[in-house]
Amino acid sequence: MKKILQKTTDFFKNNFKLIIGIAVLILVVGGFFLIQTKTTSLENSDLKTWTMSSIEAKMSTVQILTDNSPDAELIMKCVDKMSTFNDSGEFAVRDAIKLCNMGIKLQENN
């Protein structure tokens, strides 16, 4: 038993810098992925997040997804209205904006 303990202790003493380096690398990579998943962009979120967001964030998201459409304010109001419907919380913001934009364009063409 003492031999196994001695071998383990020797291994850690000889490879201490390598073990610390690997641990730091794992923490950095894990932190990077954690930061990436916690972004606050609305483009890839659902309508639950939309309702809690500020007007500026909503407007910038609409402008990004519609390529600075002149109807950005109307689209934002449309998505606001969609977010009040029952069971709309799981609906993607990206899809809601596209749907509202398409509806506005269809209305303009008729």
Side-chain angles (χ1 to χ4, degrees), residues 1-18:
M1 186 69 164
K2 284 187 177 184
K3 262 188 173 178
I4 294 173
L5 185 60
Q6 184 63 34
K7 285 183 179 181
T8 306
T9 306
D10 289 341
F11 174 79
F12 282 114
K13 283 182 181 178
N14 293 336
N15 297 312
F16 182 72
K17 289 181 183 178
L18 177 67

mmCIF file of all heavy atoms in Angstrom, residues 1-18:
data_model
loop_
_atom_site.group_PDB
_atom_site.id
_atom_site.type_symbol
_atom_site.label_atom_id
_atom_site.label_comp_id
_atom_site.label_asym_id
_atom_site.label_seq_id
_atom_site.Cartn_x
_atom_site.Cartn_y
_atom_site.Cartn_z
ATOM 1 N N MET A 1 0.821 -1.183 0.000
ATOM 2 C CA MET A 1 0.000 0.000 0.000
ATOM 3 C C MET A 1 0.867 1.250 0.000
ATOM 4 O O MET A 1 0.537 2.222 -0.659
ATOM 5 C CB MET A 1 -0.931 -0.045 1.217
ATOM 6 C CG MET A 1 -1.921 1.050 1.253
ATOM 7 S SD MET A 1 -3.099 0.795 -0.060
ATOM 8 C CE MET A 1 -4.370 1.845 0.432
ATOM 9 N N LYS A 2 1.967 1.217 0.767
ATOM 10 C CA LYS A 2 2.858 2.364 0.839
ATOM 11 C C LYS A 2 3.532 2.620 -0.509
ATOM 12 O O LYS A 2 3.792 3.762 -0.873
ATOM 13 C CB LYS A 2 3.923 2.163 1.923
ATOM 14 C CG LYS A 2 3.406 2.347 3.325
ATOM 15 C CD LYS A 2 4.540 2.295 4.316
ATOM 16 C CE LYS A 2 4.013 2.554 5.714
ATOM 17 N NZ LYS A 2 5.085 2.610 6.690
ATOM 18 N N LYS A 3 3.811 1.527 -1.252
ATOM 19 C CA LYS A 3 4.442 1.672 -2.560
ATOM 20 C C LYS A 3 3.520 2.414 -3.531
ATOM 21 O O LYS A 3 3.975 3.274 -4.288
ATOM 22 C CB LYS A 3 4.787 0.292 -3.140
ATOM 23 C CG LYS A 3 6.177 -0.124 -2.956
ATOM 24 C CD LYS A 3 6.426 -1.392 -3.732
ATOM 25 C CE LYS A 3 7.906 -1.706 -3.673
ATOM 26 N NZ LYS A 3 8.235 -2.933 -4.354
ATOM 27 N N ILE A 4 2.243 2.082 -3.505
ATOM 28 C CA ILE A 4 1.278 2.727 -4.394
ATOM 29 C C ILE A 4 1.139 4.202 -4.039
ATOM 30 O O ILE A 4 1.128 5.072 -4.901
ATOM 31 C CB ILE A 4 -0.090 2.013 -4.321
ATOM 32 C CG1 ILE A 4 0.024 0.598 -4.869
ATOM 33 C CG2 ILE A 4 -1.151 2.791 -5.099
ATOM 34 C CD1 ILE A 4 -1.206 -0.245 -4.687
ATOM 35 N N LEU A 5 1.080 4.476 -2.756
ATOM 36 C CA LEU A 5 0.989 5.862 -2.294
ATOM 37 C C LEU A 5 2.244 6.645 -2.671
ATOM 38 O O LEU A 5 2.165 7.798 -3.095
ATOM 39 C CB LEU A 5 0.762 5.887 -0.785
ATOM 40 C CG LEU A 5 0.529 7.255 -0.163
ATOM 41 C CD1 LEU A 5 -0.710 7.921 -0.763
ATOM 42 C CD2 LEU A 5 0.386 7.135 1.334
ATOM 43 N N GLN A 6 3.393 6.021 -2.559
ATOM 44 C CA GLN A 6 4.653 6.676 -2.901
ATOM 45 C C GLN A 6 4.733 6.946 -4.407
ATOM 46 O O GLN A 6 5.150 8.023 -4.834
ATOM 47 C CB GLN A 6 5.848 5.810 -2.461
ATOM 48 C CG GLN A 6 7.191 6.442 -2.694
ATOM 49 C CD GLN A 6 7.388 7.711 -1.890
ATOM 50 O OE1 GLN A 6 6.904 7.833 -0.773
ATOM 51 N NE2 GLN A 6 8.098 8.661 -2.461
ATOM 52 N N LYS A 7 4.280 6.004 -5.229
ATOM 53 C CA LYS A 7 4.292 6.188 -6.681
ATOM 54 C C LYS A 7 3.340 7.313 -7.095
ATOM 55 O O LYS A 7 3.660 8.118 -7.961
ATOM 56 C CB LYS A 7 3.907 4.890 -7.392
ATOM 57 C CG LYS A 7 4.985 3.860 -7.407
ATOM 58 C CD LYS A 7 4.551 2.628 -8.198
ATOM 59 C CE LYS A 7 5.652 1.592 -8.224
ATOM 60 N NZ LYS A 7 5.258 0.409 -9.003
ATOM 61 N N THR A 8 2.183 7.359 -6.449
ATOM 62 C CA THR A 8 1.215 8.411 -6.753
ATOM 63 C C THR A 8 1.776 9.772 -6.366
ATOM 64 O O THR A 8 1.671 10.741 -7.122
ATOM 65 C CB THR A 8 -0.107 8.147 -6.005
ATOM 66 O OG1 THR A 8 -0.565 6.844 -6.299
ATOM 67 C CG2 THR A 8 -1.162 9.144 -6.397
ATOM 68 N N THR A 9 2.385 9.857 -5.222
ATOM 69 C CA THR A 9 2.978 11.116 -4.762
ATOM 70 C C THR A 9 4.098 11.551 -5.696
ATOM 71 O O THR A 9 4.185 12.726 -6.071
ATOM 72 C CB THR A 9 3.519 10.954 -3.325
ATOM 73 O OG1 THR A 9 2.485 10.463 -2.481
ATOM 74 C CG2 THR A 9 4.021 12.281 -2.786
ATOM 75 N N ASP A 10 4.951 10.627 -6.107
ATOM 76 C CA ASP A 10 6.043 10.944 -7.026
ATOM 77 C C ASP A 10 5.495 11.417 -8.377
ATOM 78 O O ASP A 10 6.028 12.356 -8.979
ATOM 79 C CB ASP A 10 6.957 9.732 -7.235
ATOM 80 C CG ASP A 10 7.787 9.413 -5.992
ATOM 81 O OD1 ASP A 10 7.931 10.315 -5.136
ATOM 82 O OD2 ASP A 10 8.278 8.271 -5.895
ATOM 83 N N PHE A 11 4.436 10.777 -8.851
ATOM 84 C CA PHE A 11 3.836 11.168 -10.130
ATOM 85 C C PHE A 11 3.338 12.611 -10.060
ATOM 86 O O PHE A 11 3.578 13.405 -10.971
ATOM 87 C CB PHE A 11 2.683 10.219 -10.485
ATOM 88 C CG PHE A 11 1.916 10.647 -11.709
ATOM 89 C CD1 PHE A 11 2.422 10.399 -12.971
ATOM 90 C CD2 PHE A 11 0.703 11.310 -11.596
ATOM 91 C CE1 PHE A 11 1.734 10.795 -14.095
ATOM 92 C CE2 PHE A 11 0.013 11.712 -12.713
ATOM 93 C CZ PHE A 11 0.533 11.453 -13.972
ATOM 94 N N PHE A 12 2.636 12.961 -8.995
ATOM 95 C CA PHE A 12 2.114 14.322 -8.861
ATOM 96 C C PHE A 12 3.242 15.344 -8.680
ATOM 97 O O PHE A 12 3.148 16.464 -9.186
ATOM 98 C CB PHE A 12 1.103 14.423 -7.718
ATOM 99 C CG PHE A 12 -0.251 13.891 -8.088
ATOM 100 C CD1 PHE A 12 -0.750 12.754 -7.474
ATOM 101 C CD2 PHE A 12 -1.016 14.521 -9.045
ATOM 102 C CE1 PHE A 12 -1.996 12.267 -7.817
ATOM 103 C CE2 PHE A 12 -2.259 14.041 -9.392
ATOM 104 C CZ PHE A 12 -2.755 12.907 -8.777
ATOM 105 N N LYS A 13 4.295 14.979 -7.968
ATOM 106 C CA LYS A 13 5.420 15.895 -7.795
ATOM 107 C C LYS A 13 6.122 16.157 -9.122
ATOM 108 O O LYS A 13 6.505 17.283 -9.428
ATOM 109 C CB LYS A 13 6.418 15.336 -6.788
ATOM 110 C CG LYS A 13 5.994 15.471 -5.351
ATOM 111 C CD LYS A 13 7.066 14.925 -4.426
ATOM 112 C CE LYS A 13 6.639 15.029 -2.979
ATOM 113 N NZ LYS A 13 7.654 14.468 -2.075
ATOM 114 N N ASN A 14 6.303 15.108 -9.918
ATOM 115 C CA ASN A 14 7.026 15.240 -11.180
ATOM 116 C C ASN A 14 6.188 15.941 -12.270
ATOM 117 O O ASN A 14 6.749 16.571 -13.161
ATOM 118 C CB ASN A 14 7.464 13.870 -11.688
ATOM 119 C CG ASN A 14 8.496 13.237 -10.785
ATOM 120 O OD1 ASN A 14 9.204 13.940 -10.063
ATOM 121 N ND2 ASN A 14 8.586 11.923 -10.810
ATOM 122 N N ASN A 15 4.885 15.812 -12.206
ATOM 123 C CA ASN A 15 4.023 16.358 -13.260
ATOM 124 C C ASN A 15 3.106 17.465 -12.759
ATOM 125 O O ASN A 15 2.047 17.704 -13.340
ATOM 126 C CB ASN A 15 3.178 15.230 -13.863
ATOM 127 C CG ASN A 15 4.038 14.190 -14.528
ATOM 128 O OD1 ASN A 15 4.929 14.521 -15.295
ATOM 129 N ND2 ASN A 15 3.787 12.928 -14.234
ATOM 130 N N PHE A 16 3.508 18.161 -11.707
ATOM 131 C CA PHE A 16 2.664 19.200 -11.105
ATOM 132 C C PHE A 16 2.340 20.319 -12.095
ATOM 133 O O PHE A 16 1.182 20.729 -12.237
ATOM 134 C CB PHE A 16 3.359 19.765 -9.855
ATOM 135 C CG PHE A 16 2.556 20.797 -9.139
ATOM 136 C CD1 PHE A 16 1.428 20.430 -8.427
ATOM 137 C CD2 PHE A 16 2.915 22.132 -9.185
ATOM 138 C CE1 PHE A 16 0.673 21.375 -7.764
ATOM 139 C CE2 PHE A 16 2.168 23.088 -8.533
ATOM 140 C CZ PHE A 16 1.036 22.711 -7.822
ATOM 141 N N LYS A 17 3.326 20.815 -12.805
ATOM 142 C CA LYS A 17 3.109 21.909 -13.761
ATOM 143 C C LYS A 17 2.184 21.462 -14.900
ATOM 144 O O LYS A 17 1.322 22.225 -15.349
ATOM 145 C CB LYS A 17 4.427 22.405 -14.326
ATOM 146 C CG LYS A 17 5.256 23.172 -13.327
ATOM 147 C CD LYS A 17 6.541 23.658 -13.962
ATOM 148 C CE LYS A 17 7.403 24.375 -12.934
ATOM 149 N NZ LYS A 17 8.672 24.821 -13.510
ATOM 150 N N LEU A 18 2.341 20.257 -15.361
ATOM 151 C CA LEU A 18 1.493 19.732 -16.430
ATOM 152 C C LEU A 18 0.041 19.619 -15.956
ATOM 153 O O LEU A 18 -0.893 20.007 -16.672
ATOM 154 C CB LEU A 18 2.003 18.370 -16.889
ATOM 155 C CG LEU A 18 1.174 17.668 -17.967
ATOM 156 C CD1 LEU A 18 1.256 18.451 -19.272
ATOM 157 C CD2 LEU A 18 1.663 16.250 -18.161
#
